[in-house]
Amino acid sequence: MKVSASGFDVRTAVPQVSLGITTALNVGIGVSRTLQPACKNDPKSVLVRTIRANAVNDEPFSLTIA
């Protein structure tokens, strides 16, 4: 997810993620505060991964950044 706010840098941001409504019990979520190759090492991009049954999977989530 690319953030358009001026001065934003993923390395100094405080992201918070939470899963949306899902019926699965084996779902996890993670967010990275470092530059990521998957985001072309863009400091304005936040990498969020949702995982189901130990595999990356699309799941609903919310992201808040302070």
Side-chain angles (χ1 to χ4, degrees):
M1 171 176 278
K2 189 159 186 163
V3 178
S4 62
S6 65
F8 176 82
D9 189 320
V10 68
R11 298 165 290 189
T12 57
V14 181
Q16 177 180 340
V17 293
S18 58
L19 282 169
I21 296 172
T22 180
T23 57
L25 298 176
N26 57 347
V27 176
I29 191 168
V31 62
S32 179
R33 292 185 55 213
T34 60
L35 300 179
Q36 294 293 315
C39 298
K40 299 180 182 174
N41 293 319
D42 183 355
K44 290 187 142 310
S45 293
V46 177
L47 178 65
V48 177
R49 284 198 174 119
T50 55
I51 300 164
R52 180 186 284 195
N54 296 322
V56 174
N57 192 59
D58 286 337
E59 297 291 340
F61 68 89
S62 296
L63 170 67
T64 305
I65 301 172

